[in-house]
Amino acid sequence: EKAGHKHFMAKEIAEQPTVIGEALSYYLSGDGRRIVLPDPGLDFSAYDRVVMVACGTAYFACFAAKYWFEKVARLPVEIDVASEFRYREPPVSPRTLAIFVSQSGETADTLAALRYMKGKAATIASVVNVPESSIARESDVALPILAGVEVGVASTKAFSCQLTVLALLALEAARARGTINDAALDDHLTSLRTLPGIMTRALDLDETLNEVSQALSEATDVLFLGRGQMYPIAHEGALKLKEISYIHAEAYASGELKHGPIALIDAHMPVIVFAPHDALFEKTVSNMQEVMARGGKVLLVSDRVGLEIASEGVWRTVQMPEVPDFLAPIVYAIPAQLIAYHTAVAKGTDVDQPRNLAKSVTVE
Ligand code: F6R
């Protein structure tokens, strides 16, 4: 049942190229050039904003999607965790598209937030793994993520499938709103079709990530840094590590470091930096150098070009495959997951059933 893996989590991490491939074939037309949403679809001319609500890992998928929607579809996106959103009772303009993201589709706070939005938002959409779940049934449009059953309590393949579906949705919004031209859309869809292959190459880093994780397992605190669309992935990395290895971890936007957390830096707290060689790379590297100047040890996760520029003085490096910018959050989720996994295995914790956690949180 674990298909040769020691844990369900390892199996589910390894399945990501396959399940993402399935999500892509579900949402792309036969020729791969159009995005097809399940009935009744979404009318993007009816929205001028998006509100995305979820909990935990699903919330970090919303966080990453905010960057996509704002960038390609020029739609303002508000994100919130469901337990805050529902009690805040926020004002809702009628031209709002509300999106609820949930693996189980049964998370109590997310369901309550969805019910709050009924009759207020123009459309209630959900991005779910379980199609017969309450959240799917109570939405106007349910968008399946097709990750298959996820057994490990720590969500992995559901996260990358949520990201894939949300990236497709952002591109479809951009097309419908005319904020992207045909050539650019075509480029994005072409690179999305290469995603399973790139994910496979990222998974090939398993042994490298296992080695760094042996060293990380000695730490009591770990800091994750990222800028732009890597910031949500830093959060997901920190959450995964906390959940299964019980090591205290926090994520910060690289640029926030100097506004407080830099006081924590010493030789005992590893700092994991997610920084593909993109438009924000130099900025992230300068924050990373501030860490090293204060004796911090940095694990830099970047690509060939990024490592050529910035490896000097870094404690450990992980060389990721080249990734089109737009897809980097999906691919960089893999080292985030594998670091947590191998660190937890090194510590001997119960990876698939971490203490105090349940797979589906149906109470508030
Ligand atoms: C993280 C994790 C939790 C869930 C959260 C939401 O690994 O498993 O943070 O992501 O409880 O659950 P769903 O997606 O079922 O609403």
Side-chain angles (χ1 to χ4, degrees), residues 108-322:
D109 281 323
T110 309
L111 182 58
L114 182 155
R115 289 177 177 158
Y116 172 77
M117 288 299 261
K118 279 192 189 173
K120 297 189 181 71
T123 308
I124 311 266
S126 59
V127 174
V128 286
N129 198 28
V130 182
E132 54 283 349
S133 61
S134 308
I135 288 172
R137 280 187 282 108
E138 293 195 27
S139 22
D140 300 318
V141 190
L143 305 168
I145 62 166
L146 303 137
V149 176
E150 190 179 63
V151 177
V153 165
S155 186
T156 54
K157 63 174 180 172
F159 180 64
S160 54
C161 286
Q162 286 161 354
L163 290 177
T164 304
V165 172
L166 289 167
L168 288 162
L169 201 58
L171 290 171
E172 177 55 15
R175 188 204 57 78
R177 288 166 52 79
T179 54
I180 195 168
N181 63 39
D182 290 353
L185 179 61
D186 233 46
D187 281 352
H188 280 306
L189 295 183
T190 304
S191 55
L192 263 163
R193 291 196 304 271
T194 67
L195 186 57
I198 307 175
M199 297 294 274
T200 302
R201 271 182 282 134
L203 288 167
D204 289 341
L205 295 169
D206 188 59
E207 200 36 56
T208 312
L209 291 162
N210 183 16
E211 275 164 39
V212 289
S213 300
Q214 302 307 310
L216 288 172
S217 69
E218 318 269 305
T220 50
D221 307 271
V222 174
L223 201 58
F224 286 77
L225 298 181
R227 197 181 261 274
Q229 51 175 12
M230 281 300 123
Y231 177 36
I233 302 306
H235 270 290
E236 174 60 5
L239 177 63
K240 276 305 79 105
L241 191 67
K242 280 182 267 211
E243 281 186 294
I244 59 169
S245 78
Y246 315 146
I247 293 174
H248 167 236
E250 277 192 81
Y252 272 94
S254 309
E256 268 294 296
L257 196 68
K258 59 171 78 63
H259 300 287
I262 200 162
L264 295 168
I265 302 295
D266 63 18
H268 305 291
M269 181 179 64
V271 179
I272 302 180
V273 181
F274 293 123
H277 186 252
D278 59 15
L280 299 174
F281 180 74
E282 308 291 335
K283 303 264 178 216
T284 308
V285 165
S286 95
N287 303 131
M288 184 184 95
Q289 282 159 348
E290 290 159 8
V291 169
M292 298 191 302
R294 284 154 186 87
K297 46 181 197 182
V298 168
L299 163 58
L300 175 59
V301 184
S302 184
D303 44 34
R304 185 183 55 78
V305 179
L307 294 181
E308 266 169 29
I309 298 171
S311 289
E312 207 185 301
V314 165
W315 173 57
R316 299 281 168 93
T317 59
V318 173
Q319 185 176 324
M320 294 286 287
E322 308 301 318

Side-chain angles (χ1 to χ4, degrees), residues 54-59 101-107 110 135 150 152-156 162 236 239-240 243 358-361:
C55 302
T57 286
Y59 169 71
V101 181
S102 175
Q103 188 283 127
S104 63
E106 301 295 347
T107 300
T110 309
I135 288 172
E150 190 179 63
V153 165
S155 186
T156 54
Q162 286 161 354
E236 174 60 5
L239 177 63
K240 276 305 79 105
E243 281 186 294
K359 183 66 188 160
S360 181
V361 184

Side-chain angles (χ1 to χ4, degrees), residues 82-93:
S83 56
E84 284 302 310
F85 185 85
R86 59 180 291 201
Y87 295 113
R88 239 171 2 103
E89 302 188 357
V92 181
S93 88

